[in-house]
Amino acid sequence: MKRVALLLLTFLSLNIRSQEPDSLKYAALDSLSYEQLLQYYINEPEPPQFYKGPVELGDSTYKVLNDQVIPTDTVGAEPLFRYDYFMQNEGMEQDTSTLEISDFRPKIALGFGKLGYTGDLYSKHFQPTLKGRPAFNLDISQRLFRYLELNFTVMFGKVAASENLPDRHENMVSEIRSGGLNLVYDFGNFIPQRYRVRPYVSFGVSGFEYLSKTDIKDASGKTYYYWKDGSIKDLPEGSAGAQEAKDLVRDYNYESDIRELNLDGFGKYNERSIAFPFGFGIITRVNDRVNMKLNWQYYFSGTDYIDGITENSLGTRKGNSKNDNFSYASFAFQYDLITKPKSKTYADTLSDAFWLAFDNADEDKDSIPDLNDDCLGTVAGAKVDLNGCPSDDDNDGIPNYRDDEPNTPAGFPVNARGVAQTDAYWKDYYEAYLNDTLSTDREIQVVYNAFAAKPKKSKKDEQKDEYTVELVRYNGPIPSDELAYLLSIGDIISTTLDDGTVVYTTGKYDNLADAVKRKEEFRLSGNSTAKVAKVAGKKVEKIQEEDIDALLRKELEDLMSITISEDGDTIRTQMEGDDYFAGLFGDEFTNATPEVKDSLRTLGMKTKAKEIKANRELAEAEESFNPEDVIYRVQLGAFRNRISTSIFNTSTNVLELKTAENIYRYVTKGYKSIEQAASVRADLVIQGYSDAFVTAYKGGKRVPLNQTKATVDREYVEDMNEDKIFSSVDKSLVAFKVQLGAPLKKPGLIAIMEEKIKDLNDIEKQTTSVGGVRYTSGSFASYSDAEKHRKELEAKGFTDAFTIATFKNEQIPIQEAMELLK
């Protein structure tokens, strides 16, 4: 068995293929800056072929295209769709149902092999299959699914055993005739159709009859007596006249019926039984109609009388308590007697009108059908040749519609507009270069590589650091006694790091000093673990206490070097800032002397500073929370499994907390007033979150709403249980649909799909964010109903159909949909 299992694993490993994406070798180029990319292309060797322009011998020494010339780009359309190429490549998986039609028709197989024995004889109680007697089988197979086959099998053969032990000499041959049913699983749902060789396993039930005989007499009817010296005599050893005993030789003619001998007093036992065969093997597709099968099966029988010896046998004939079994190793040819050989062409399911329109399609309207057009996507109005390519009368590589010099002299390279780069051209180019370099009145043209990585920003251009106060971080659930404390902090924020750790912070500050002040407030209130941290993308980095003084000193120095900041743009006392002061003071500033302008600038900056300070203080007062404030939040749901916060389609931030009971709880941000929280809840109810409700927190604990400024109906009984599981989502907004394969982009594929679904009802078309067209069928409240509909569509030829889940007509993971329906 170990050898067979090792052989099977080796075979499966041969079917595993891997490939490295071609795009991997270009990943390094994407990360280069403009200067590095330019140097890369300077050092890159020239390709074997490159454009040299119209060259005639002796016309010019300029035979290579100048590196500043932009190559022509006249083709911008999608490549021509070819149905046969698509079916051989991209459509390989879509034609699976067509290729497998023959597999769903009955097949017949004829095999031959050997039967092995397992029973009461031999010291190891078994005989290897390959040393057994010949047998043959006849199978009729019917495929039920792409991966499951039903076999009706009849098998004829013999099992034999011959034992010669010091104290026992037994032999037997039993004719086996069996028939039964087997289910064969060939991994068709994992191994693609294109593989010709695939493994399989089988199990089933069979009925069989056996006729067991033994060889105890020679041809003349003399009984065999086995002596201790290994000889066979016609008299028992030690009997009267034994010295006259004659040697006998076994004729291996099994003449005596074991049941009729009744050596152990078993009587007329039934020579029929059932067996449960289990097997495995390999099937190889030779062609469309013929398969080869290598098979091994082990039959667990329901009888112990095949060899005529049981645990109840007498004397030295006594056997073991196990039933007699047999094994069958075979090689078979499977043949399809019904299906005609598959044609190499595919059925045309489209109408003649479609193909006529396809043949005459002209996307770029240049009067050349797309099938004959070598330059798809030609600009509208451009003159084209018989091949559909833009005309180029002077053969300079630039089509006429873009050529500023229609009659370029032969042999000269040209620029992107088709102008010959003659000596006069380069003279004008050089003079223009000097003018651009030396003149004060010059036009600047920026040339850049659109595909290069963006250059790194200078330190002045980088976004200023953002600071926060870290309260606590957890690698697992939040302890129950700390959950209410976190929710009672109005501006609490949760951030999940790459390693799964959740960091809970409060506040976002542009200045380190403000963050330090907030941290001290938490420490005075009893939270000794509060620390200042820096927010960098999705990372929260703690700042060590010994580094804070140095950072504060640098921040003070930076503030001293900046005058006033308005929305992040520094108002400076330089000429480019005078437009601001001219708009503020009018002609009084424009006509003033330099000394007066400096005074007006200072006055303007002070005025603006007061305005900015007042607006900042007002904003901070609206957003800041005090420890004695009551914090109101809207409860959105509590689930056993984590779901995406995007499920709750609300403009407010959603906070995720994992409690000690491994429950994921989702709440909105904190609000100072019940009116704000109630307004958010009302908006959520309108959107379909009807069970959302408001809770209140204060001083690290949850408090009943009737103990706050909220107006509560007297009959309302608030549930204060923080551990219950609930969902505010309207379950009717969750739906399951069947998507008919991947979204399509190519017009040819879309046309084929439109023709294919014309007889289906309840089809929806949706354009994806990347321009593809998604086709779905049906809308079901349960996943099981959608799966049933998918199987119906699969039977109709939509083998690539799969089930998706939607919430408010937006696709979500099926696991999240199942969680929302609980």
Side-chain angles (χ1 to χ4, degrees):
M1 287 297 290
K2 291 183 179 178
R3 294 181 180 178
V4 175
L6 181 60
L7 179 63
L8 181 60
L9 290 175
T10 303
F11 167 75
L12 290 177
S13 67
L14 295 177
N15 289 293
I16 299 175
R17 301 184 302 173
S18 62
Q19 60 180 10
E20 179 184 357
D22 292 339
S23 60
L24 198 60
K25 59 185 178 183
Y26 300 113
L29 294 181
D30 295 338
S31 62
L32 297 181
S33 65
Y34 168 74
E35 292 80 6
Q36 292 171 328
L37 189 64
L38 179 61
Q39 189 63 39
Y40 171 83
Y41 285 121
I42 291 175
N43 297 331
E44 185 181 34
E46 292 184 350
Q49 296 181 355
F50 51 90
Y51 172 72
K52 293 186 177 182
V55 177
E56 293 183 6
L57 186 62
D59 282 353
S60 174
T61 59
Y62 299 96
K63 299 186 187 304
V64 180
L65 182 64
N66 187 277
D67 58 359
Q68 297 179 1
V69 175
I70 302 174
T72 178
D73 184 13
T74 60
V75 181
E78 297 253 342
L80 181 63
F81 170 75
R82 289 176 51 195
Y83 181 77
D84 58 339
Y85 177 82
F86 165 76
M87 296 306 292
Q88 295 174 13
N89 296 275
E90 296 181 28
M92 180 62 72
E93 297 300 328
Q94 297 188 11
D95 67 342
T96 303
S97 61
T98 305
L99 293 174
E100 292 182 353
I101 288 178
S102 64
D103 288 341
F104 288 87
R105 304 282 182 89
K107 297 183 179 181
I108 188 170
L110 179 64
F112 58 91
K114 290 190 174 184
L115 280 174
Y117 158 80
T118 302
D120 299 276
L121 301 183
Y122 299 121
S123 58
K124 293 184 178 180
H125 302 291
F126 81 95
Q127 177 193 57
T129 307
L130 297 181
K131 293 184 178 180
R133 293 294 185 96
F136 69 93
N137 65 286
L138 181 67
D139 296 350
I140 298 177
S141 304
Q142 173 64 52
R143 185 165 292 277
L144 305 178
F145 304 102
R146 200 159 64 184
Y147 53 84
L148 196 63
E149 185 177 84
L150 180 65
N151 281 0
F152 173 73
T153 302
V154 293
M155 186 262 292
F156 303 90
K158 294 181 179 181
V159 294
S162 181
E163 178 187 65
N164 288 290
L165 299 178
D167 58 345
R168 187 169 72 176
H169 300 275
E170 300 289 343
N171 60 76
M172 70 91 188
V173 169
S174 182
E175 294 185 11
I176 303 293
R177 296 180 290 275
S178 72
L181 296 174
N182 291 292
L183 284 175
V184 179
Y185 172 67
D186 65 359
F187 303 91
N189 51 337
F190 295 109
I191 302 177
Q193 176 73 16
R194 62 179 179 272
Y195 291 102
R196 289 183 172 270
V197 181
R198 67 179 63 213
Y200 68 86
V201 294
S202 66
F203 61 92
V205 60
S206 296
F208 73 97
E209 65 178 7
Y210 57 94
L211 177 60
S212 301
K213 293 186 177 183
T214 182
D215 180 17
I216 61 174
K217 295 180 181 181
D218 64 5
S220 60
K222 295 180 180 180
T223 303
Y224 302 132
Y225 293 98
Y226 296 86
W227 287 29
K228 293 181 180 180
D229 60 1
S231 62
I232 303 176
K233 305 289 186 178
D234 60 352
L235 293 175
E237 186 175 8
S239 65
Q243 64 273 15
E244 302 296 331
K246 297 180 180 180
D247 290 330
L248 298 180
V249 178
R250 278 191 59 191
D251 60 3
Y252 293 93
N253 179 24
Y254 297 86
E255 76 289 334
S256 302
D257 188 303
I258 293 178
R259 186 179 70 169
E260 296 299 329
L261 290 175
N262 198 20
L263 297 177
D264 299 309
F266 296 148
K268 300 289 186 179
Y269 53 80
N270 192 356
E271 290 185 315
R272 294 183 181 88
S273 183
I274 62 171
F276 299 94
F278 170 80
F280 57 86
I282 296 174
I283 184 168
T284 302
R285 187 172 73 248
V286 178
N287 54 41
D288 292 340
R289 304 185 69 173
V290 178
N291 294 331
M292 290 192 305
K293 298 175 69 175
L294 186 62
N295 177 66
W296 184 86
Q297 285 180 297
Y298 191 86
Y299 286 74
F300 295 90
S301 78
T303 181
D304 194 18
Y305 291 112
I306 294 179
D307 54 14
I309 297 176
T310 73
E311 63 176 339
N312 297 320
S313 295
L314 304 176
T316 59
R317 289 175 50 82
K318 184 177 179 64
N320 57 28
S321 60
K322 298 179 181 179
N323 287 345
D324 297 334
N325 302 320
F326 52 93
S327 58
Y328 180 47
S330 65
F331 177 81
F333 281 97
Q334 187 181 54
Y335 190 71
D336 185 353
L337 296 174
I338 299 177
T339 303
K340 297 180 180 179
K342 293 194 290 287
S343 173
K344 296 300 181 182
T345 59
Y346 298 92
D348 189 354
T349 59
L350 303 178
S351 64
D352 293 340
F354 169 83
W355 288 116
L356 180 61
F358 183 82
D359 292 340
N360 297 324
D362 183 13
E363 291 289 340
D364 52 10
K365 302 294 189 291
D366 60 357
S367 301
I368 305 298
D370 291 344
L371 292 175
N372 302 322
D373 199 334
D374 292 342
C375 298
L376 296 174
T378 304
V379 175
K383 182 181 177 182
V384 298
D385 58 21
L386 296 178
N387 295 321
C389 294
S391 299
D392 181 16
D393 294 337
D394 54 6
N395 295 319
D396 61 356
I398 306 299
N400 291 345
Y401 74 89
R402 281 174 45 190
D403 200 334
D404 292 344
E405 189 179 64
N407 299 311
T408 301
F412 285 94
V414 296
N415 63 9
R417 301 301 302 179
V419 177
Q421 295 176 328
T422 61
D423 293 339
Y425 172 88
W426 289 114
K427 181 176 180 297
D428 294 339
Y429 180 88
Y430 181 69
E431 290 177 351
Y433 168 77
L434 292 179
N435 179 62
D436 287 344
T437 306
L438 303 177
S439 175
T440 58
D441 183 17
R442 59 181 180 270
E443 179 183 354
I444 298 176
Q445 181 181 8
V446 179
V447 180
Y448 62 94
N449 181 4
F451 299 97
K454 293 183 179 180
K456 294 182 178 180
K457 294 182 179 180
S458 64
K459 291 185 178 180
K460 292 182 179 180
D461 295 333
E462 290 180 354
Q463 187 176 3
K464 195 174 181 181
D465 290 336
E466 190 175 72
Y467 300 97
T468 185
V469 178
E470 179 181 326
L471 300 178
V472 68
R473 59 176 63 194
Y474 294 106
N475 286 321
I478 304 173
S480 300
D481 56 344
E482 295 189 14
L483 178 63
Y485 168 74
L486 294 175
L487 291 176
S488 66
I489 300 172
D491 52 354
I492 192 75
I493 301 172
S494 65
T495 304
T496 303
L497 305 183
D498 293 338
D499 62 355
T501 301
V502 182
V503 182
Y504 293 91
T505 60
T506 178
K508 290 185 178 181
Y509 307 97
D510 293 332
N511 298 321
L512 177 60
D514 294 337
V516 172
K517 180 181 177 182
R518 184 74 185 279
K519 178 204 71 173
E520 294 301 330
E521 292 176 356
F522 276 103
R523 291 200 171 184
L524 290 174
S525 64
N527 188 341
S528 58
T529 61
K531 293 182 179 296
V532 176
K534 182 169 67 174
V535 180
K538 292 187 177 182
K539 296 182 179 180
V540 179
E541 303 171 354
K542 292 181 183 179
I543 300 177
Q544 302 299 325
E545 294 292 338
E546 56 269 19
D547 296 334
I548 290 181
D549 290 340
L551 292 173
L552 286 173
R553 189 159 44 250
K554 182 179 182 302
E555 184 178 87
L556 181 60
E557 292 173 357
D558 292 342
L559 290 173
M560 294 294 291
S561 64
I562 299 176
T563 53
I564 305 297
S565 179
E566 177 188 10
D567 296 332
D569 297 328
T570 302
I571 302 173
R572 303 180 183 276
T573 57
Q574 298 176 359
M575 291 185 66
E576 62 265 28
D578 283 350
D579 291 339
Y580 169 75
F581 298 110
L584 183 62
F585 298 106
D587 292 340
E588 181 181 357
F589 178 82
T590 305
N591 300 327
T593 62
E595 292 79 7
V596 175
K597 284 185 177 181
D598 287 341
S599 300
L600 291 175
R601 289 189 189 103
T602 303
L603 177 60
M605 287 188 290
K606 289 181 178 180
T607 303
K608 189 64 178 179
K610 292 180 180 179
E611 179 184 348
I612 293 173
K613 183 178 180 181
N615 292 337
R616 182 179 297 171
E617 291 176 350
L618 179 61
E620 290 177 353
E622 292 178 351
E623 296 181 359
S624 62
F625 293 88
N626 297 318
E628 62 273 9
D629 288 341
V630 176
I631 307 301
Y632 299 92
R633 297 183 184 274
V634 181
Q635 299 281 342
L636 301 174
F639 305 92
R640 287 290 182 191
N641 298 303
R642 186 180 184 184
I643 64 174
S644 172
T645 55
S646 61
I647 289 292
F648 307 104
N649 185 21
T650 174
S651 58
T652 182
N653 294 328
V654 176
L655 186 65
E656 177 187 280
L657 305 103
K658 185 179 180 182
T659 67
E661 294 78 18
N662 288 325
I663 297 173
Y664 291 89
R665 186 173 298 279
Y666 298 88
V667 300
T668 65
K669 73 175 187 177
Y671 298 96
K672 280 188 172 184
S673 67
I674 184 64
E675 289 79 12
Q676 291 175 306
S679 176
V680 171
R681 178 191 176 276
D683 180 61
L684 288 168
V685 171
I686 293 174
Q687 295 186 51
Y689 307 89
S690 56
D691 290 336
F693 60 93
V694 179
T695 55
Y697 299 87
K698 181 179 180 181
K701 297 180 180 180
R702 179 177 172 183
V703 296
L705 289 175
N706 57 15
Q707 295 181 12
T708 66
K709 295 181 179 180
T711 302
V712 182
D713 187 76
R714 291 183 178 181
E715 297 180 357
Y716 174 71
V717 178
E718 185 176 359
D719 187 355
M720 300 294 288
N721 181 13
E722 291 278 69
D723 298 330
K724 71 174 183 177
I725 297 177
F726 77 97
S727 172
S728 64
V729 175
D730 184 353
K731 293 180 174 56
S732 64
L733 299 177
V734 179
F736 297 93
K737 301 179 180 181
V738 179
Q739 183 170 323
L740 306 180
L744 306 176
K745 281 189 177 181
K746 296 182 179 180
L749 297 181
I750 294 176
I752 292 174
M753 178 60 78
E754 292 287 345
E755 182 71 16
K756 196 174 181 181
I757 65 174
K758 65 181 182 181
D759 296 328
L760 297 180
N761 298 322
D762 200 13
I763 295 294
E764 292 183 8
K765 287 180 17 179
Q766 181 182 9
T767 302
T768 65
S769 58
V770 295
V773 179
R774 176 188 290 120
Y775 293 83
T776 60
S777 173
S779 180
F780 306 92
S782 69
Y783 177 74
S784 58
D785 291 342
E787 274 293 287
K788 180 179 178 182
H789 183 57
R790 181 191 66 78
K791 293 178 180 178
E792 294 174 353
L793 291 173
E794 188 178 60
K796 295 180 180 180
F798 295 90
T799 56
D800 289 339
F802 56 93
T803 302
I804 63 172
T806 63
F807 177 70
K808 299 172 71 173
N809 290 324
E810 294 293 333
Q811 187 171 349
I812 62 173
I814 290 179
Q815 293 84 351
E816 290 190 2
M818 302 296 285
E819 188 69 23
L820 294 176
L821 291 176
K822 292 181 180 178

